[in-house]
Each structure stands twice: as C-alpha cells, then as structure tokens.
Amino acid sequence: MNVPTTPKILACLAAAAVLLGGTAAADRLPSPASALTRTVSSTEEAPDREALSRADGVSHQAAAVTDAERRAVLDYWTVDRMAAAQPISMAAVDLVEDALQLSERAEAEPQAAPHPDSTGERWTAGGLVARTTGKVFLTMDGRDFTCSASVVDSDNRSTLVTAGHCAKDGRGSWAKNWTFVPGYADGASPHGRYTARDLLVAPRWDREADDSYDFAMAVLNTRDGRTVQEAVGAQRIAFDTWTEERVRDGVQVYTFGYPAASPFDGRDLHYCSGRTTPDTGGTTANGVGCTMTQGSSGGPWFSGFDTGTGRGTISSVVSFKYASDRSTQYGPRLGSAAHRVFEHAERL
C-alpha cells in the first residue's frame, strides 16, 4: 500500500529534509539502490548476512561491528551531545504547525496509578516495561536525533523493536551512531549504553517509505560480556494480533516512549492507553488517543499489558500522527513482514 499524501508527523525524516531544503535537500538523498543491503566489516560474517537478507526479503545495514567501531560510537555520545539531540522529525513538525497556526499543547499531568485511558501521562509504576523500554540516540544525515525502542525476547537475546524511521530515513540514509539506553530516566543510564551492530527494516519501508511498514529491528552488541536481555529482561512480541475482527472491534493497548517535543522534554518514560481504531488515511496502521510527541517514535505498543508487572505483548510501535489530528497516535501492524525481519534479526 502506498503512503498517503496527507501530512504526517513523527515519521519520516526524508520529508523533513525536503521541507527544510527544497529540491537541493532531495538531491542529496541516496537513491533506493544505494540503500540496499550493505557488506559488513567482518569478511567472515558478510556472506552469511547478505545471503540471509536476500533470502528473507529484508533490508539490512551493519552498524558498529568491530571493537573500534563500538568504542567510537560510545565516545561520540558525550553528555552534551545526548542532551542536544533532537526528537526525530521535529523540524518538519515545527513547519507544519506554523502553517496550520496550531495552538500550544497542554502538558499532561502525571497520574498516581496506571489507567486504561491515558493520553500521555508519565509512567511511574515501574515494572519490567521501565527496564526494557529505552531511549535511542542516533545520527541521520549528520544530525543527532532521539527515538524510543524496546527489548524483545529473541534467540540472540540482543534484539530490539523500534520504528523504521528510527533506523532508516525511508528511501534515504541509514542511521549511524545508533545507541540504546534501557531504562533511561532523567538523563541517567541505569543499565548502561548498548551500541547496535545491525539494523533491519522491511523492503517496503526501504524502497517506498510505506508507513504501513514503519517498523525495524536492531541487534545490539554486548556490554561487559552480557546481552541486553540478560541485563534488563525482555518483552514478548507477537505477529498475529491484528486479525480483521480485532482491527474492527479495537484492541486495548498501552503505548510507551520518550516524547521530547514540547510540552515534553524527553527525560522520562510516558504512556498512553486506550482502544484502537483503524486508520482511514490510506495505511493499514491503527490509532489510539495520545498526546505524546516526537521522540516517542519506535516505542512499544502492548496488548494484554499487566500494569502491575509491566509485562505485555508487543504488537506495534509508535509510528506517526497526522498533522491535522495531533490527538491520535498510529502504529503499524506487526504481521508477516515484521515476522520475517524479526526472524532474520534474531539469527544475527
């Protein structure tokens, strides 16, 4: 399904570049052919990774593979750089809001206990979700950005799910300096920082920037010999949630992320909750009422979520909003295409 032309926010950065720089910016974006599977640094691993990408129909980019590359990424993210990183696509949002003369958002007030119809409160209940959800720092086309992501249960115990536009700028560039901070809280990294060694998206995102496929997997390097799943745990992930019946009737979901555009500041984990409705704008995504802003991109959508333990099943990720409706957040269906990307990721 092609991407609808109605203006969106949260995704994707390539559109922001065109808005900011006109055709000159568009001319600098790589062609689709240049964004296909690349060779990784290790010649011993490269043939297997490329063969898997071709067989599974997955677009794949190696990230920090060698020890020197991993150290360089960690060194890159100084305290000042992390503080200065902007929520992805924020520039595009500013332009859209100026054009529409939208009023300022009212900041969501924290609630004492989780409830099933939150529109963006700070998450204060702890649990597994507070450890497995984290803030992402990345560089795209020379600019530093933030996103969100979650650890998912996988064979390699090192796999995350996030938004496609947090790994690759649609038909444009792949992200660099990709780093995950699980349990990020008020500037602290309580469980350390993990660099990515592989980024994977669906071909429909890579070649068409199709919002129905705005999901990605990241495979992380270990830290002090431990995988991220060993350090913080992991959430279940499912690829069969969005049956036609459940799409029609709606699914109760809890969505999480680190919104960083005003009125939020990206320092704390926030959540929204409610029943989903199908998108009528031309994608197969589903929507839920939510005021979270940019920076929450890539955060997990849970079905069957237990607010007491912070455990649930991830069935989507924070993807986009329509510029004409900032009160509804949309997430793509994790189905067979996402399953292929996940299966590839957990074998790396």
Side-chain angles (χ1 to χ4, degrees):
M1 180 175 293
N2 292 329
V3 182
T5 57
T6 306
K8 294 188 181 68
I9 59 180
L10 293 182
C12 78
L13 186 58
V18 175
L19 280 170
L20 288 169
T23 55
D27 290 342
R28 292 195 298 271
L29 296 177
S31 65
S34 69
L36 299 179
T37 303
R38 318 276 175 86
T39 303
V40 296
S41 299
S42 168
T43 55
E44 186 174 320
E45 292 179 330
D48 287 341
R49 292 187 178 192
E50 290 193 274
L52 280 170
S53 292
R54 290 195 299 272
D56 291 353
V58 172
S59 296
H60 162 250
Q61 171 68 62
V65 177
T66 68
D67 287 341
E69 289 170 340
R70 292 192 286 271
R71 286 194 298 270
V73 171
L74 291 174
D75 289 344
Y76 179 84
W77 289 114
T78 63
V79 173
D80 289 342
R81 275 206 177 103
M82 292 173 73
Q86 296 293 304
I88 203 161
S89 297
M90 185 174 179
V93 176
D94 290 342
L95 289 176
V96 170
E97 290 187 347
D98 287 346
L100 296 178
Q101 296 181 338
L102 298 175
S103 60
E104 292 185 1
R105 285 173 284 260
E107 185 168 4
E109 295 181 0
Q111 299 295 310
H115 55 100
D117 56 357
S118 166
T119 58
E121 286 80 11
R122 188 162 63 90
W123 179 260
T124 59
L128 184 64
V129 69
R131 300 193 304 275
T132 56
T133 310
K135 193 166 182 175
V136 174
F137 296 86
L138 61 106
T139 304
M140 194 89 76
D141 293 322
R143 299 175 64 195
D144 294 334
F145 293 102
T146 65
C147 275
S148 303
S150 177
V151 185
V152 292
D153 188 23
S154 62
D155 287 347
N156 62 15
R157 305 178 71 80
S158 298
T159 299
L160 307 181
V161 65
T162 187
H165 68 273
C166 295
K168 187 177 186 297
D169 182 18
R171 291 179 291 246
S173 303
W174 287 90
K176 298 179 180 179
N177 299 322
W178 212 94
T179 302
F180 177 67
V181 184
Y184 181 92
D186 196 22
S189 306
H191 308 290
R193 299 180 296 163
Y194 291 79
T195 59
R197 58 184 169 89
D198 293 281
L199 300 173
L200 307 94
V201 299
R204 291 285 290 273
W205 178 256
D206 178 10
R207 298 166 188 165
E208 302 173 34
D210 187 334
D211 289 327
S212 296
Y213 296 84
D214 184 21
F215 48 77
M217 303 291 166
V219 182
L220 303 183
N221 292 299
T222 58
R223 179 179 180 272
D224 297 331
R226 300 181 72 199
T227 65
V228 68
Q229 186 168 333
E230 290 170 333
V232 302
Q235 300 283 359
R236 297 184 299 272
I237 187 168
F239 305 95
D240 58 359
T241 299
W242 304 106
T243 64
E244 291 305 313
E245 180 181 4
R246 298 194 77 189
V247 168
R248 183 186 66 244
D249 295 343
V251 176
Q252 175 69 38
V253 296
Y254 283 75
T255 80
F256 291 82
Y258 288 87
S262 178
F264 303 93
D265 60 13
R267 299 184 68 84
D268 297 292
L269 185 64
H270 286 71
Y271 80 106
C272 292
S273 55
R275 296 194 70 83
T276 60
T277 56
D279 180 27
T280 58
T283 78
T284 59
N286 294 283
V288 66
C290 188
T291 63
M292 286 199 296
T293 58
Q294 295 70 33
S296 59
S297 288
W301 278 38
F302 291 94
S303 55
F305 184 73
D306 185 330
T307 58
T309 64
R311 295 178 180 273
T313 299
I314 297 175
S315 56
S316 184
V317 293
V318 177
S319 176
F320 67 88
K321 287 184 175 183
Y322 288 102
S324 58
D325 178 15
R326 294 170 302 152
S327 64
T328 306
Q329 173 196 96
Y330 289 89
R333 303 182 193 181
L334 298 188
S336 58
H339 198 186
R340 284 193 296 273
V341 177
F342 171 75
E343 286 183 323
H344 184 153
E346 69 173 351
R347 293 201 297 268
L348 291 174

